[in-house]
Amino acid sequence: LQNVILSRNMSLQSQVREAVLHPRSKRPILKYIHHLDELLSALAPYARCSEPCEGSFRGIEACMAMNHLHRLRFQCQEYPRVATEGGQKDLSAAWNEQMRAFALLAERDMHMLNGKNLAWALNAVKACEGYPSLFLAAATRLLQLGAADFA
């Protein structure tokens, strides 16, 4: 009976994971992920791809990822370490690593971002240290957006 229950739970978990993927792009739908360790796992392949390549995130998607990482950051304090298949995972270190990776992607594609994308990115790192180049690039982009409105 216990094996049947475990089997049903595993199948339910796989259904939930499949439901979180977008049907066409097969990318994770971030708003349905409510646990930081799951979000970090879902975003890991995209955080590793720093150069534009097939399936990589663009700046807009990086800003969205930063927004969702920021949304679940409080879990770093509640659950600093999480058990994984490979041992323990330090959520705070993984969070910082991915936030930096996505900030670099946002900077790389700054020319494609609109005001809302900039707000997501800047709000995500507003209380963090070490992002002066992102703020400088965003300020420059905001000036460009403002100048385009008056041209």
Side-chain angles (χ1 to χ4, degrees):
L1 181 62
Q2 187 176 12
N3 288 342
V4 172
I5 292 171
L6 286 174
S7 158
R8 285 185 186 160
N9 285 343
M10 293 301 266
S11 119
L12 179 61
Q13 287 176 347
S14 66
Q15 289 174 4
V16 169
R17 287 206 172 96
E18 287 174 18
V20 170
L21 294 178
H22 190 275
R24 281 182 280 148
S25 69
K26 300 300 182 204
R27 289 188 174 171
I29 300 175
L30 303 180
K31 69 181 179 181
Y32 295 125
I33 301 175
H34 302 290
H35 298 285
L36 182 58
D37 59 327
E38 291 177 9
L39 181 63
L40 291 167
S41 295
L43 291 175
Y46 306 102
R48 286 189 212 110
C49 197
S50 60
E51 295 298 318
C53 59
E54 183 68 30
S56 69
F57 271 11
R58 294 169 302 167
I60 295 167
E61 295 159 323
C63 292
M64 280 190 251
M66 292 172 71
N67 185 48
H68 286 284
L69 284 167
H70 174 69
R71 175 177 61 90
L72 298 178
R73 183 174 187 184
F74 72 94
Q75 292 180 19
C76 287
Q77 286 80 32
E78 290 181 12
Y79 315 103
R81 298 185 72 70
V82 175
T84 63
E85 294 173 1
Q88 294 282 320
K89 177 162 77 173
D90 182 357
L91 287 183
S92 187
W95 186 92
N96 284 322
E97 181 181 314
Q98 285 195 14
M99 189 62 82
R100 289 208 183 284
F102 291 126
L104 289 173
L105 290 176
E107 280 184 61
R108 180 194 73 198
D109 294 342
M110 189 63 65
H111 64 282
M112 298 177 358
L113 302 181
N114 63 26
K116 185 176 185 177
N117 306 139
L118 294 172
W120 284 338
L122 296 178
N123 184 57
V125 297
K126 69 181 178 225
C128 304
E129 292 183 17
Y131 294 93
S133 61
L134 178 65
F135 280 92
L136 184 60
T140 304
R141 178 65 179 148
L142 284 171
L143 289 172
Q144 291 170 349
L145 292 171
D149 285 343
F150 292 108

